Amino acid sequence: MGFVKHIKEEFQVIRERDPAIKTPLEVLLYPSFRVMIQYRRAHKLYEKGHYFLARWISQRAARKTGIEIHPGAKIGKGLFIDHGTGVIIGETTVIGNNVTLYQGVTLGGTGKETGKRHPTLKDNVMVSAGAKILGSFTIGENSKIGAGSVVLEEIPPNCTVVGVPGRIVKRENQKVPRSDMDQVHLPDPVLEDIRKLQSENEHLKSKLQKLEYTLQEVIEEKE
């Protein structure tokens, strides 16, 4: 793909997926746009064995945008990094098409592996703000990772993951559309458990109260 085509593609991705865009020229100010253009240059150099120059370009881009993408990472079409500050994408990361990352996301390794040590994100994955995906495993197509989650193991397609460590709280065979950018209204398993315990506690209190009334009536009859 030519450099001009890359620019047009990144331009279109941001306009499609950020409702804050008011004018086309604003796209040029986006860290996502700037870092992805530099990544494409650095990645080509990295594949040709020009490692120092590739890292030099990527590190300059990281200082200017707050987004660090290792030039060895493999990224498909349509990656959108919203805001972007603090995003880190490791060397052996593989990202499919139409993936969305929010600020503070880390796609990192565990520090214990060699070779492929960073995650693979399949098409249409969304990773919410502050989430960490650590290790060499796959996040399946159309899955959502909730804000602040820490994912340490493989996730099947069409899942919603929240928590530390990340737990699958929703799994169904319905494709998540690209226009679905909701990173807030995700299930909260901890809150659901608390509500369940509260409900059971109220039920037990009600039964105990009824037993107390019955016992009091028996005592009064004997008197």
Side-chain angles (χ1 to χ4, degrees):
M1 184 185 291
F3 188 67
V4 173
K5 194 170 182 179
H6 277 310
I7 292 176
K8 289 181 178 178
E9 179 189 291
E10 300 301 334
F11 194 91
Q12 187 62 31
V13 166
I14 293 172
R15 292 206 65 189
E16 279 182 6
R17 279 187 266 176
D18 192 347
I21 288 286
K22 300 295 188 297
T23 62
L25 283 177
E26 288 178 65
V27 173
L28 301 176
L29 304 175
Y30 271 62
S32 177
F33 177 81
R34 294 161 65 190
V35 79
M36 286 305 297
I37 296 303
Q38 296 304 316
Y39 158 76
R40 300 294 182 192
R41 291 178 59 207
H43 183 65
K44 283 187 176 181
L45 290 168
Y46 188 87
E47 287 187 319
K48 293 177 180 178
H50 303 303
Y51 302 122
F52 176 82
L53 186 55
R55 289 299 299 272
W56 183 73
I57 291 171
S58 70
Q59 289 303 303
R60 282 193 66 197
R63 288 194 297 272
K64 290 182 178 180
T65 65
I67 301 168
E68 184 173 343
I69 305 176
H70 193 287
K74 296 179 181 178
I75 301 176
K77 296 179 181 179
L79 173 65
F80 177 51
I81 305 174
D82 197 12
H83 296 290
T85 301
V87 168
I88 298 173
I89 300 175
E91 178 188 13
T92 61
T93 301
V94 178
I95 297 177
N97 298 325
N98 307 320
V99 169
T100 300
L101 308 179
Y102 286 85
Q103 65 271 20
V105 166
T106 298
L107 306 180
T110 62
K112 299 177 182 179
E113 299 172 300
T114 57
K116 179 73 168 75
R117 59 192 185 279
H118 298 93
T120 295
L121 277 58
K122 294 292 190 177
D123 297 349
N124 305 311
V125 168
M126 186 196 78
V127 186
S128 300
K132 314 298 178 188
I133 304 175
L134 307 175
S136 178
F137 52 82
T138 299
I139 306 296
E141 293 89 346
N142 312 312
S143 288
K144 284 185 176 184
I145 310 300
S149 300
V150 178
V151 184
L152 303 173
E153 59 185 21
E154 187 151 331
I155 303 299
N158 306 303
C159 289
T160 299
V161 177
V162 300
V164 181
R167 294 186 291 169
I168 297 172
V169 294
K170 186 177 181 183
R171 184 188 310 208
E172 56 185 32
N173 294 321
Q174 293 182 354
K175 184 177 180 180
V176 179
R178 285 181 60 183
S179 59
D180 186 352
M181 301 289 287
D182 187 357
Q183 62 166 334
V184 177
H185 300 101
L186 301 177
D188 186 339
V190 176
L191 182 59
E192 289 172 5
D193 288 345
I194 290 172
R195 286 174 175 167
K196 185 177 179 181
L197 287 171
Q198 287 175 334
S199 176
E200 290 175 352
N201 186 51
E202 291 298 322
H203 181 66
L204 286 171
K205 284 171 64 177
S206 177
K207 289 183 74 173
L208 281 173
Q209 197 171 46
K210 287 179 181 178
L211 285 172
E212 286 178 2
Y213 289 150
T214 302
L215 182 59
Q216 186 65 35
E217 288 175 0
V218 170
I219 291 171
E220 289 175 356
E221 286 177 0
K222 286 185 177 181
E223 292 178 350

